[in-house]
Amino acid sequence: MQKDGMSFLDRSFELHFNERPFLNHFAYLFITRTTKKRSRKESNFSILCRGNIIPKEVRDKDAVSRFLESVDQFERILNDSAFIRMERLTTDEIVGTPQQAGLVEKYFSLSQQDTTTLKDIQMSASEMRIGDNILCVHTLSDVDDLPGSVRTDARYEKYSTDRSDCRLSFAAPVGLMLSCDHIYNQFLFIDDSAEILQRFEKTARNMHSLSKYSRANQLNKQWIDAYLDEAHSFGLTAIRCHCNVMAWSDSREKLKVIKNDTGSALALMGCKPRYNTVDAPTLYWAGIPGGEGDFPAEESFYTFIEQGVCFFTGETNYADSLSPFGIKMADRTNGKPLHLDISDEPMRRGIITNRNKLVIGPSGSGKSFFMNHLVRQYWEQNTHIILIDIGNSYKGLCDLIRQRTNGEDGVYYTYSEKHPIAFNPFFTEDKVFDLEKKESIKTLIMSLWKRDTEVITRAEEVALSMAVNLFLEKIKEDVELVPSFNTFYEFVQGEFRGILEEKHYREKDFDLTNFLNVLAPYYRGGEYDYLLNSDEQLDLLNKRFVVFEIDEIKEHKILFPVVTVIIMEAFINKMRRLHGARKMIVVEEAWKAIAREGMADYIKFLYKTVRKYFGEAVVVTQELDDIVSSPIIKDTIVNNADCKILLDQRKYINKFDSVQSLLGLTDKEKGQILSINQANDPARKYKEV
């Protein structure tokens, strides 16, 4: 069952994902200083044809110092923007150490692994080989190869629906979407923009003078004029740009497939794939970290900065949460396991103000499976959990926990007529009744006294509060008094009647006879006299996994809300006494019983208070209409649950606008939610969250 301290389910999780292939992504931004003369050199005079590698301009200390200051400013500006986060590489990370490979060494080995072995490089006009790997290079080096227009993002059809768009970066097809080992290089050369425009002006004049000899010259002039008009009208900076995709394989058969996949990926961008063999060595050499200054000038095309950055990839792998607490999930692209914290880390970062959660998923969306997965991992991280369940969804997990702990944990309560759940709301071991305890008792009695349609008046509320407070004071003073609902009923019937007469309470203000008659079934000899007069207390304080299965009484108008409140009281007792321990209460469809007018304040009180005691309340539902139509859900649960977990919402796609408004979702978030389960791998059975 266990190995190396891992539970059976943890071990199964590790075995399931063992050796699963996935595409790992690394993004590097290199800023290289060059000179005007050097940047215009072509491939016939590259670094491969020189006797020295280090250019002369690097030896100028003043120039290098100014360059480094500019780089520092660039880094600070990008990090301050909050849209991107950069980490500066150290010298050891670039060139390596005797013990660890650097980035340059990894580039020459075509591997991100910590390799210390360099591979032979073979270059020819037909092919380039690095070790056993054969390199294929596709380039975007001509304006004719580009689409008519570019944009920062594009619609991704697999995850999109008729009512929602899943947006990915324009160059996403050659990023993570290209499922093979590859390097995607984007070069932006910032030259003297004014000089470039002057050169185009001169070219335009030449084309104009030659236009009568060739219609092609006339068209070229029109294109150049359009480029110049754009530059001068909007003050755009002219640059040179180049993109290439380097893919490799040690098998020629696989390389054919990779070559076709790479060409298809470029075609998805609207580009014309151009397979380049002649310039492959030069382009590979120019891709060395810091070697971008030796890029062949003839392989670049002119554009503007705004259009050039559209060719950047904006996606990367999902990253694990840095928090030690969390749950195990998997990314939607490769199924890579992830460590995700949806409680503590968002709190620390100020994204959320409470840990409460709302889980929405229709029948068959994997809601029960996900919740079992969630609470199991919470329990393994020492969380105290109370679940109110309908439908035996957690019985298997509870049995597993009971077996693992040899019966010390994993308590499963099922309501039946022979063994009903009994409770004593007035019992405390130390006879200390704080505000939470008093509110819980008052709410319980109020739910027994008043129906949903009945409204409690201010006078009745004050009288009930006074009765509870006086009885609790009497418990503290009278040692022989046994606290229970029976003794409370007798107190109201006797002493409290006299107190009301002294205070001149009128019958229309507080009908004591009606109050006693309505509560009589819970008094000694009544139909439900067992419910609130338990002699044995439920010892749940130190039990970390407790399930209340109340399916048999879910339609009972009296027992269902009462038992629910009883369970709530048990959780509040944990909140009050277990300082420093993480706590969680999960309410499945039972929230319908507690979402009533008389208990709205109690729910709000619980949701707002649980945060202060290192706890979280989780409500799970499958009926969207119940959420939309219930004002209590809107005002209490939705507003006080900062974490919303949504499963497949295709069932509600035609009325998702109301959900979007209720949950305060942006159009982007709406598109992301409706893209769930749109591109599942048919080889694996799973449901996305």
Side-chain angles (χ1 to χ4, degrees):
M1 289 290 290
Q2 298 182 29
K3 185 177 179 180
D4 299 328
M6 299 173 67
S7 66
F8 167 74
L9 292 176
D10 267 335
R11 184 65 181 165
S12 301
F13 183 92
E14 295 292 334
L15 290 174
H16 178 74
F17 289 101
N18 187 39
E19 295 187 355
R20 172 171 289 184
F22 72 98
L23 188 64
N24 206 1
H25 179 256
F26 300 88
Y28 299 99
L29 177 62
F30 302 108
I31 303 174
T32 307
R33 186 178 182 273
T34 184
T35 61
K36 186 183 297 185
K37 181 180 179 183
R38 187 180 172 206
S39 65
R40 292 176 179 174
K41 289 181 178 179
E42 298 183 351
S43 57
N44 57 0
F45 198 79
S46 70
I47 192 173
L48 295 173
C49 307
R50 293 208 315 262
N52 62 316
I53 296 178
I54 301 175
K56 294 179 181 179
E57 56 269 15
V58 177
R59 302 167 193 173
D60 187 351
K61 292 184 179 179
D62 293 335
V64 171
S65 179
R66 290 193 300 270
F67 171 69
L68 292 177
E69 289 177 0
S70 301
V71 173
D72 289 336
Q73 293 176 9
F74 178 81
E75 179 190 3
R76 196 177 301 113
I77 291 170
L78 282 185
N79 285 330
D80 290 345
S81 68
F83 293 109
I84 191 171
R85 183 172 59 87
M86 301 175 62
E87 296 179 3
R88 195 160 185 174
L89 294 172
T90 63
T91 302
D92 290 342
E93 288 175 327
I94 297 174
V95 301
T97 63
Q99 294 78 28
Q100 190 174 5
L103 187 58
V104 176
E105 192 172 348
K106 292 177 180 178
Y107 181 82
F108 282 124
S109 303
L110 295 179
S111 173
Q112 278 291 336
Q113 304 299 320
D114 192 14
T115 179
T116 56
T117 304
L118 293 178
K119 300 177 180 179
D120 294 333
I121 299 178
Q122 178 186 343
M123 293 174 286
S124 65
S126 59
E127 118 178 339
M128 181 173 178
R129 183 189 291 269
I130 300 173
D132 295 329
N133 294 317
I134 307 169
L135 203 68
C136 71
V137 181
H138 287 78
T139 60
L140 296 177
S141 54
D142 197 320
V143 178
D144 295 335
D145 299 337
L146 304 179
S149 62
V150 294
R151 48 200 176 277
T152 56
D153 58 346
R155 175 185 168 97
Y156 187 60
E157 294 296 338
K158 280 189 175 181
Y159 293 157
S160 299
T161 66
D162 295 337
R163 294 173 59 90
S164 65
D165 284 351
C166 178
R167 312 295 296 186
L168 297 180
S169 63
F170 180 69
V174 293
L176 285 177
M177 298 301 169
L178 183 56
S179 58
C180 65
D181 291 329
H182 68 282
I183 299 174
Y184 177 51
N185 293 310
Q186 307 109 35
F187 295 85
L188 297 181
F189 302 94
I190 303 175
D191 300 323
D192 189 344
S193 180
E195 185 184 342
I196 294 174
L197 296 179
Q198 288 177 4
R199 196 182 310 136
F200 274 114
E201 294 277 7
K202 183 180 179 182
T203 305
R205 288 194 296 270
N206 293 335
M207 291 294 176
H208 178 70
S209 61
L210 299 172
S211 60
K212 60 182 177 180
Y213 300 106
S214 172
R215 185 161 182 83
N217 292 333
Q218 188 177 353
L219 291 173
N220 286 335
K221 180 190 179 294
Q222 291 176 2
W223 283 111
I224 294 172
D225 286 340
Y227 182 85
L228 292 170
D229 290 343
E230 193 85 3
H232 291 302
S233 300
F234 300 101
L236 302 178
T237 303
I239 63 169
R240 291 186 293 123
C241 184
H242 170 87
C243 301
N244 65 60
V245 183
M246 298 181 182
W248 60 87
S249 177
D250 57 358
S251 169
R252 294 189 182 277
E253 294 298 323
K254 291 182 181 178
L255 189 66
K256 291 180 181 178
V257 178
I258 290 173
K259 190 187 299 181
N260 292 331
D261 290 345
T262 306
S264 301
L266 289 169
L268 287 174
M269 296 167 58
C271 301
K272 186 186 297 181
R274 188 178 296 274
Y275 181 57
N276 197 321
T277 56
V278 178
D279 288 329
T282 310
L283 293 174
Y284 175 78
W285 216 256
I288 301 172
E292 292 81 9
D294 291 291
F295 183 87
E298 78 274 11
E299 288 286 341
S300 59
F301 59 89
Y302 287 96
T303 183
F304 301 116
I305 290 180
E306 289 78 5
Q307 284 75 15
V309 297
C310 289
F311 289 91
F312 284 2
T313 54
E315 293 79 27
T316 186
N317 296 106
Y318 293 96
D320 290 328
S321 298
L322 299 176
S323 171
F325 178 85
I327 59 175
K328 295 176 180 176
M329 299 292 285
D331 78 346
R332 69 185 309 179
T333 313
N334 302 304
K336 176 191 173 186
L338 291 169
H339 173 78
L340 184 64
D341 184 3
I342 56 176
S343 295
D344 292 355
E345 189 175 14
M347 283 278 288
R348 286 194 299 267
R349 295 172 59 185
I351 299 173
I352 59 177
T353 58
N354 59 69
R355 297 177 176 85
N356 301 332
K357 296 172 178 60
L358 174 64
V359 183
I360 306 173
S363 179
S365 62
K367 181 172 70 281
S368 297
F369 184 87
F370 170 77
M371 287 305 303
N372 272 270
H373 182 67
L374 178 72
V375 298
R376 189 265 304 177
Q377 293 182 83
Y378 267 62
W379 177 83
E380 290 181 349
Q381 297 173 87
N382 300 318
T383 304
H384 285 253
I385 303 170
I386 289 182
L387 297 106
I388 310 175
D389 185 31
I390 295 176
N392 296 297
S393 302
Y394 301 94
K395 188 166 189 323
L397 179 59
C398 193
D399 292 341
L400 186 68
I401 291 173
R402 191 184 302 113
Q403 293 177 12
R404 185 180 176 185
T405 59
N406 298 319
E408 295 182 1
D409 203 357
V411 183
Y412 196 86
Y413 288 102
T414 302
Y415 189 96
S416 64
E417 293 185 0
K418 293 183 178 179
H419 303 285
I421 298 175
F423 187 73
N424 188 349
F426 297 91
F427 176 82
T428 57
E429 293 183 353
D430 50 7
K431 292 191 176 183
V432 175
F433 299 93
D434 54 13
L435 180 62
E436 290 89 350
K437 184 70 173 177
K438 292 178 182 178
E439 289 294 326
S440 173
I441 294 173
K442 287 190 287 185
T443 304
L444 173 61
I445 296 173
M446 197 179 298
S447 65
L448 299 175
W449 179 26
K450 295 287 186 176
R451 293 185 178 273
D452 297 347
T453 55
E454 296 177 309
V455 180
I456 187 169
T457 64
R458 179 61 180 165
E460 291 173 334
E461 188 178 350
V462 171
L464 177 60
S465 181
M466 182 169 57
V468 172
N469 290 330
L470 291 173
F471 180 68
L472 296 181
E473 291 295 327
K474 187 176 181 179
I475 293 175
K476 296 178 184 178
E477 297 172 359
D478 192 349
V479 182
E480 297 182 357
L481 180 66
V482 179
S484 66
F485 183 80
N486 287 337
T487 52
F488 172 75
Y489 189 91
E490 292 165 358
F491 168 77
V492 174
Q493 195 175 32
E495 294 182 36
F496 190 66
R497 186 188 294 272
I499 295 171
L500 290 178
E501 291 175 357
E502 291 178 7
K503 293 184 178 292
H504 304 289
Y505 259 79
R506 297 172 297 179
E507 187 175 329
K508 66 176 184 178
D509 295 329
F510 183 73
D511 192 345
L512 183 61
T513 304
N514 174 265
F515 180 78
L516 293 172
N517 287 336
V518 173
L519 297 182
Y522 307 96
Y523 180 60
R524 188 180 293 109
E527 185 180 0
Y528 307 110
D529 60 349
Y530 58 85
L531 194 60
L532 305 174
N533 296 286
S534 174
D535 296 328
E536 297 181 3
Q537 305 304 315
L538 294 177
D539 185 19
L540 303 178
L541 186 63
N542 297 315
K543 304 293 185 182
R544 290 198 298 110
F545 195 87
V546 183
V547 181
F548 291 91
E549 172 55 54
I550 50 179
D551 187 55
E552 291 192 15
I553 57 168
K554 64 183 179 182
E555 303 297 334
H556 204 292
K557 294 182 178 180
I558 297 175
L559 290 181
F560 195 21
V562 173
V563 171
T564 304
V565 177
I566 288 171
I567 298 167
M568 293 288 188
E569 164 64 23
F571 181 73
I572 288 178
N573 189 43
K574 283 181 176 287
M575 282 198 321
R576 214 171 44 244
R577 300 182 60 183
L578 296 175
H579 301 288
R582 191 185 300 272
K583 312 159 193 76
M584 170 188 275
I585 181 168
V586 180
V587 186
E588 289 273 347
E589 297 299 324
W591 65 265
K592 295 178 185 179
I594 61 178
R596 46 188 287 182
E597 292 295 335
M599 299 182 65
D601 293 337
Y602 181 73
I603 299 172
K604 188 178 294 185
F605 170 79
L606 175 66
Y607 256 77
K608 290 186 176 182
T609 307
V610 70
R611 178 183 64 86
K612 303 176 184 177
Y613 293 92
F614 199 21
E616 54 190 85
V618 183
V619 169
V620 186
T621 184
Q622 65 177 10
E623 294 297 333
L624 198 63
D625 293 335
D626 294 332
I627 301 173
V628 176
S629 61
S630 174
I632 297 173
I633 297 296
K634 288 183 181 180
D635 299 338
T636 303
I637 296 178
V638 174
N639 293 339
N640 292 286
D642 286 355
C643 180
K644 282 87 171 177
I645 301 172
L646 291 93
L647 291 95
D648 196 343
Q649 300 295 307
R650 279 179 291 181
K651 183 178 178 181
Y652 307 130
I653 192 169
N654 293 324
K655 50 184 177 181
F656 198 78
D657 292 340
S658 59
V659 183
Q660 181 183 4
S661 175
L662 176 66
L663 301 181
L665 302 173
T666 63
D667 290 338
K668 180 182 178 182
E669 291 169 337
K670 174 187 175 182
Q672 289 175 324
I673 292 168
L674 293 179
S675 70
I676 292 175
N677 293 329
Q678 291 296 319
N680 284 355
D681 188 348
R684 303 197 307 268
K685 291 184 178 180
Y686 61 96
K687 295 291 181 69
E688 292 181 350
V689 179

